[in-house]
Amino acid sequence: MVQIKDIVNQLHLDVYSGDDFLNRTVSSSEISRPGLELTGYFNYYPYDRIQLLGMKEITFIEKMTVAEKTIIFKKLCNDDTPCFVVARGLSVPEELVKAANRQEIPIIQSTISTSRLSGMISNFLESQLAERVSIHGVLVEVYGLGVLIQGSSGIGKSETGLELIKKGHRLIADDRVDIYRQDERTVIGESPKILEHLMEIRGVGIIDVMNLFGASAVRNHAHISLVVNLQDWSVDNTFDRLGSGTESIDLAHVPVPKISIPVSTGRNVAAIIEVAAMNFRAKTMGYDATKKFENNLAELIAENSENGKEFDK
């Protein structure tokens, strides 16, 4: 459930009437534009959705008689109707205000265009109503990319995150990360409210990153672009040395690229993660250092082959 007051506050909308009714809730991210309902057809009226009125609806309403408006708005104002939203700064019909006040339904107004406003509200509701899954790890924003650091307990995830924060990057969540799917290709990570801006450093305890490093050192959420798995270095483990591997991990039913980094004494893991983030961004922009190396190697082999033939002659 999402309260109407949260929508108003987050999207900076104006309350036209019903300030005392903003605690009403909505459980659907879909938006209804009551077109057929204004003609009197209520067989499939989605009463539990936010009702959005734009230019088409308002101009149609203006041609109705007062009696017709009274009847239609009485039917539109269902006990479970979350709220009405009037877009483009259009005037709100007086009959709608009376009917909404009787049912204690708030009316929201905005100067934003109808289509854009519908998208904004729908996207916000989808993010708030999406199913959350908690996973173990540290989520930081490195050069604008959401990097999820995972690994076994005690391997140094929080310490690595702290070092990245000291380098100017930002913390989203430590120890526990709540994730949800925004769409088929995007997974968002955020911190649980109880752990927001906090980190646990063994030997030190709980620290408040925002209090110690400032507001620029934290973020509320981030799109997870890369997963870094920290592993203890061992001769038995094999690691990708050329970067030609295409590993991925499933997060909230979204495949996310994953790399494994060996951890051993003397390795600056934070610096390696910085380089991994920059290299990942370069790949997304079309530049692949591994392919360049392979091309250079192929050219060298071809050149040596030509030199060998000339020597034989």
Side-chain angles (χ1 to χ4, degrees):
M1 296 288 185
V2 176
Q3 290 190 328
I4 301 303
K5 65 180 178 183
D6 293 330
I7 301 174
V8 172
N9 294 334
Q10 291 295 323
L11 302 183
H12 307 290
L13 306 179
D14 299 320
V15 180
Y16 184 85
S17 69
D19 291 271
D20 298 330
F21 315 140
L22 296 179
N23 59 344
R24 291 180 76 94
T25 59
V26 57
S27 58
S28 173
S29 62
E30 296 185 34
I31 308 298
S32 170
R33 295 189 63 177
L36 286 174
E37 289 79 9
L38 295 178
T39 67
Y41 186 79
F42 280 84
N43 288 24
Y44 298 98
Y45 173 47
Y47 56 85
D48 59 339
R49 301 177 186 174
I50 290 177
Q51 306 299 317
L52 177 62
L53 305 177
M55 181 67 75
K56 289 187 294 185
E57 291 81 12
I58 293 298
T59 52
F60 184 86
I61 291 169
E62 289 174 348
K63 296 180 180 180
M64 298 167 62
T65 65
V66 174
E68 289 173 335
K69 293 178 187 178
T70 302
I71 294 171
I72 292 298
F73 289 141
K74 184 177 180 181
K75 291 184 177 181
L76 283 175
C77 294
N78 188 280
D79 290 338
D80 296 321
T81 302
C83 72
F84 290 92
V85 180
V86 180
R88 304 176 68 92
L90 298 168
S91 58
V92 181
E94 184 180 341
E95 293 79 9
L96 174 59
V97 177
K98 292 179 180 178
N101 286 337
R102 273 196 298 268
Q103 290 296 113
E104 299 185 348
I105 301 172
I107 299 177
I108 313 302
Q109 194 176 42
S110 174
T111 57
I112 301 173
S113 64
T114 313
S115 298
R116 182 162 167 253
L117 184 59
S118 176
M120 287 171 57
I121 296 175
S122 182
N123 289 338
F124 175 74
L125 289 175
E126 283 180 356
S127 68
Q128 297 300 304
L129 295 171
E131 180 184 357
R132 261 66 172 173
V133 178
S134 289
I135 59 175
H136 190 61
V138 177
L139 181 58
V140 289
E141 184 189 69
V142 181
Y143 298 126
L145 294 176
V147 178
L148 176 64
I149 305 172
Q150 292 190 307
S152 58
S153 180
I155 201 167
K157 297 183 295 296
S158 295
E159 289 79 1
T160 302
L162 180 61
E163 183 63 26
L164 288 168
I165 293 167
K166 290 178 64 179
K167 286 173 172 283
H169 305 294
R170 299 197 279 185
L171 171 74
I172 289 90
D174 176 62
D175 189 52
R176 197 183 107 195
V177 185
D178 287 350
I179 63 172
Y180 64 90
R181 189 176 73 170
Q182 187 177 59
D183 53 48
E184 286 71 19
R185 301 177 60 184
T186 308
V187 58
I188 303 296
E190 61 186 10
S191 172
K193 289 294 181 183
I194 192 173
L195 300 176
E196 198 169 46
H197 307 156
L198 301 179
M199 293 188 77
E200 179 197 354
I201 306 298
R202 283 181 172 84
V204 177
I206 305 296
I207 65 170
D208 189 328
V209 173
M210 185 171 179
N211 183 48
L212 294 180
F213 297 94
S216 62
V218 296
R219 272 201 69 178
N220 292 330
H221 62 272
H223 166 207
I224 301 178
S225 303
L226 179 67
V227 176
V228 175
N229 183 41
L230 303 184
Q231 289 183 315
D232 282 316
W233 183 89
S234 171
V235 292
D236 298 327
N237 292 334
T238 57
F239 296 94
D240 188 7
R241 299 187 65 179
L242 295 179
S244 56
T246 55
E247 239 188 316
S248 66
I249 185 173
D250 186 87
L251 297 178
H253 306 296
V254 176
V256 179
K258 171 189 171 184
I259 62 173
S260 296
I261 294 178
V263 176
S264 62
T265 303
R267 298 204 87 201
N268 191 333
V269 180
I272 295 172
I273 290 177
E274 282 185 314
V275 173
M278 290 188 288
N279 191 52
F280 176 80
R281 183 178 288 280
K283 284 185 177 181
T284 59
M285 296 174 68
Y287 178 81
D288 192 335
T290 302
K291 289 183 179 179
K292 183 178 181 181
F293 170 75
E294 291 173 348
N295 292 336
N296 291 345
L297 182 61
E299 290 174 4
L300 181 61
I301 293 172
E303 183 181 335
N304 289 339
S305 298
E306 291 294 328
N307 292 337
K309 289 180 183 179
E310 293 179 3
F311 181 76
D312 292 337
K313 291 178 182 178

